[in-house]
Amino acid sequence: MNTNRRSFFKIAGVASVSIFSGALSSCDSNEKKNQTGSLLNIEEEANKAHAQRFNMSGYAAPKLDVVRIGFIGLGMRGPGAVERIANIEGVEIKALCDERMDRVESAQKILAERGLPEAKAYGGRKEAWKELCRSNEIDLVYICTPWQLHTPMAVFAMENGKHAASEVPAATTLEEAWLLVETSEKTKKHCMMLENCCYDFFELLTLNMARQGFFGELTHVEGAYIHNLADLNFSKKGYTEMWRLKHNQHRNGNLYPTHGLGPVCQALNINRGDKMEYLTSMSTNDFQLAKMADNLAKEDAFYKEFATTNYRGNMNTTLVRTEKGKTIMIQHDTTSPRPYSRIHLICGTKGVAIKYPEPGRIATGHEWFDDAKMAEIQKQYTPEIVKRVGEMAKKIGGHGGMDFMMDWRLIDCLRNGLPLDQDVYDAALWSCIAPLSEWSVANRSNSIQVPDFTCGSFKSNLQVDISLSQGGNTGVRAITSSSGSQLKV
């Protein structure tokens, strides 16, 4: 009888394991069915081995006395970029491109108002930008198009012998991120993602403070993109062909991580001494976008294709752990009715700084510094780039001046044959948080490996130079007051 009882429990145990395993397999299968095709291969891509062909970190391309620029995309951000670049000496704006020729004509007026020669016009069809990239009269292609076009355009530009500067994010998939890296290494052409927030005044101040050891050993940082864009995303006059709304409709994760992430990565020396190891990500449900789409569709048939229920969550929170045991928190919310914030928190063993809600604050204990102490900090730690061009940047504009400082620094590095502050590894890494977070959200916030786009060279790559110990000699033309082309937030 005991033997029979033992046999029974053995059989029952095996059956239970089989049923349980089958249930897990079925759940796993169902979960995978619920994922889109683009998500299924993200984990495999994240773990693929790659070999570095050439290290672009710290690479100094041959200097260009005059930087000849071609702009692609003259919708929301492009005109402001043309206007800012037009203020920088040692630059020739040689080409302007947009599918809509009326936008090209408007950008030509910006040049005419400043007494600059008319640029060659490209446009009228979707692939006119390829002709611009093939031109022998251009050194740098400046890309201000919808997200999904950034990688194809940057890769084509580099393959045609041009440096590439792309609006954020530089890539939307891991495959695109690696393609940027591999193309930059192969062609030895710079690929910079235009992360303007790395040049904001408080971010530069705290970066210099971190470099000087003010905060002690950094332990934790936070960044975000919290910006209510709900009405703009649904506006017919907003993003061309509703491209940004479509990303929000079909993806769920931290879709726009780089504004908050870039500055804190520089403070942590990510890709230059430390690397991201893995991340986990979680999103709330969507509590607004689907309802907005449904209400609009009832009044206007145009919105019927957007009346679905698979919008990204209101808030996404992503956590990253680095190889050295530091943590990074990044948030994304472009729906909720909240004041704008990128958080920008830098925390160390000796002090802390946080920018939002403004004004930025710094402390080394229980109380924030008062105005007098903050003035002392500003005087002691304001970096050289701000001393050199900060006031000019404020006059020219572009998110308070940080856009101009970014453009000026890019041109100054190219003219002096210096490494760029942001290289292709930064572009790939900061951008890849989006697809990695999508995978984690779709997999119950499981962790996923973050690729090392430097292939190990992060261990010896040098810090970003904010001292202007080299270069800094690029002039600024007679400043024209900023126009409506410059974005404020």
Side-chain angles (χ1 to χ4, degrees):
M1 184 173 179
N2 288 340
T3 303
N4 289 340
R5 283 171 61 88
R6 282 195 298 270
S7 300
F8 170 78
F9 284 119
K10 280 183 181 179
I11 295 169
V14 171
S16 298
V17 171
S18 298
I19 292 168
F20 187 61
S21 299
L24 282 178
S25 176
S26 175
C27 288
D28 183 60
S29 176
N30 288 335
E31 190 170 286
K32 285 185 177 180
K33 284 180 183 177
N34 290 332
Q35 294 183 35
T36 62
S38 61
L39 287 179
L40 288 174
N41 68 334
I42 288 179
E43 186 175 29
E44 180 183 347
E45 285 293 325
N47 289 298
K48 272 186 181 177
H50 291 260
Q52 188 175 76
R53 180 190 293 250
F54 178 83
N55 189 4
M56 289 298 292
S57 182
Y59 172 67
K63 69 177 183 178
L64 301 165
D65 292 330
V66 175
V67 182
R68 302 170 302 170
I69 304 181
F71 288 88
I72 307 175
L74 298 166
M76 191 170 290
R77 287 184 178 270
V82 172
E83 184 181 85
R84 295 190 306 272
I85 293 288
N87 285 286
I88 302 174
E89 292 180 350
V91 167
E92 291 180 0
I93 297 176
K94 303 293 285 188
L96 299 169
C97 178
D98 196 280
E99 189 177 341
R100 287 174 45 181
M101 291 305 295
D102 60 308
R103 291 176 172 175
V104 176
E105 291 165 8
S106 294
Q108 296 279 26
K109 292 177 183 177
I110 295 173
L111 303 184
E113 288 167 359
R114 286 156 180 75
L116 298 175
E118 184 175 270
K120 186 170 182 179
Y122 296 84
R125 58 192 185 285
K126 287 191 178 294
E127 296 207 338
W129 58 271
K130 289 186 175 180
E131 295 177 32
L132 181 151
C133 291
R134 292 189 186 107
S135 170
N136 293 325
E137 297 183 341
I138 292 172
D139 305 303
L140 171 68
V141 176
Y142 198 113
I143 301 164
C144 302
T145 56
W147 300 345
Q148 63 273 15
L149 296 175
H150 292 175
T151 294
M153 289 178 172
V155 167
F156 195 79
M158 288 186 284
E159 288 178 338
N160 282 273
K162 315 299 188 292
H163 299 299
S166 169
E167 265 293 350
V168 305
T172 59
T173 68
L174 291 183
E175 292 92 337
E176 286 186 343
W178 277 114
L179 184 58
L180 289 174
V181 169
E182 290 164 356
T183 306
S184 181
E185 290 178 352
K186 178 180 66 177
T187 61
K188 294 186 181 178
K189 292 298 176 181
H190 289 302
C191 180
M192 174 181 169
M193 183 172 68
L194 297 161
E195 185 37 77
N196 53 345
C197 296
C198 290
Y199 296 88
D200 204 358
F201 294 84
F202 192 77
E203 279 84 336
L204 283 169
L205 175 72
T206 53
L207 175 59
N208 196 32
M209 293 172 72
R211 291 281 174 80
Q212 304 301 322
F214 180 90
F215 301 111
E217 179 78 13
L218 297 190
T219 59
H220 174 76
V221 296
E222 297 179 9
Y225 188 68
I226 296 171
H227 189 186
N228 185 1
L229 298 175
D231 290 337
L232 181 60
N233 278 332
F234 279 103
S235 171
K236 295 178 184 178
K237 296 180 180 180
Y239 300 99
T240 302
E241 298 177 354
M242 313 298 283
W243 66 262
R244 191 161 184 166
L245 179 61
K246 291 173 183 175
H247 279 278
N248 286 268
Q249 183 184 17
H250 300 295
R251 303 170 62 193
N252 189 15
N254 190 324
L255 305 189
Y256 201 63
T258 71
H259 284 335
L261 181 62
V264 296
C265 278
Q266 289 189 337
L268 284 179
N269 290 321
I270 299 298
N271 287 338
R272 296 167 175 83
D274 199 0
K275 71 167 184 173
M276 294 185 188
E277 199 166 56
Y278 61 89
L279 68 73
T280 183
S281 187
M282 181 181 291
S283 289
T284 67
N285 286 347
D286 162 47
F287 294 95
Q288 290 177 265
L289 295 179
K291 290 179 182 178
M292 289 181 68
D294 189 55
N295 289 335
L296 287 166
K298 290 175 183 176
E299 303 293 328
D300 187 342
F302 172 84
Y303 290 101
K304 283 187 176 180
E305 68 171 294
F306 303 109
T308 60
T309 58
N310 53 332
Y311 283 88
R312 58 149 181 83
N314 276 51
M315 170 64 80
N316 174 273
T317 300
T318 299
L319 292 170
V320 181
R321 183 177 171 88
T322 78
E323 185 178 75
K324 291 189 174 181
K326 318 294 180 71
T327 52
I328 305 170
M329 188 272 280
I330 321 140
Q331 289 189 322
H332 176 271
D333 183 349
T334 56
T335 308
S336 304
R338 297 177 54 179
Y340 179 90
S341 174
R342 298 195 302 273
I343 300 178
H344 189 67
L345 180 137
I346 305 288
C347 183
T349 57
K350 294 182 179 179
V352 65
I354 188 168
K355 181 174 181 179
Y356 294 91
E358 294 184 287
R361 289 158 290 164
I362 296 167
T364 53
H366 292 290
E367 301 292 334
W368 298 110
F369 291 165
D370 60 20
D371 291 346
K373 182 63 175 177
M374 285 297 294
E376 287 180 25
I377 292 291
Q378 292 273 0
K379 184 177 181 180
Q380 183 176 355
Y381 291 103
T382 293
E384 187 61 31
I385 185 173
V386 175
K387 294 177 181 177
R388 195 80 57 91
V389 298
E391 289 306 310
M392 288 187 287
K394 289 177 183 178
K395 292 177 182 177
I396 294 169
H399 295 100
M402 63 184 178
D403 295 7
F404 178 77
M405 277 202 287
M406 171 187 69
D407 290 331
W408 178 87
R409 178 61 174 162
L410 168 61
I411 298 303
D412 190 60
C413 287
L414 292 175
R415 293 186 68 241
N416 286 282
L418 299 175
L420 303 189
D421 294 346
Q422 300 173 41
D423 57 39
V424 69
Y425 308 115
D426 299 320
L429 179 64
W430 302 349
S431 298
C432 87
I433 298 303
L436 293 175
S437 70
E438 290 179 75
W439 183 93
S440 183
V441 168
N443 287 277
R444 296 180 60 83
S445 302
N446 284 340
S447 64
I448 186 168
Q449 189 80 9
V450 179
D452 172 20
F453 293 98
T454 74
C455 297
S457 65
F458 74 92
K459 297 174 184 176
S460 57
N461 290 342
L462 299 178
Q463 293 178 335
V464 175
D465 178 20
I466 58 172
S467 68
L468 292 191
S469 58
Q470 294 179 286
N473 55 1
T474 296
V476 177
R477 297 185 177 114
I479 297 175
T480 306
S481 59
S482 106
S483 73
S485 298
Q486 299 305 326
L487 300 179
K488 302 294 190 295
V489 176

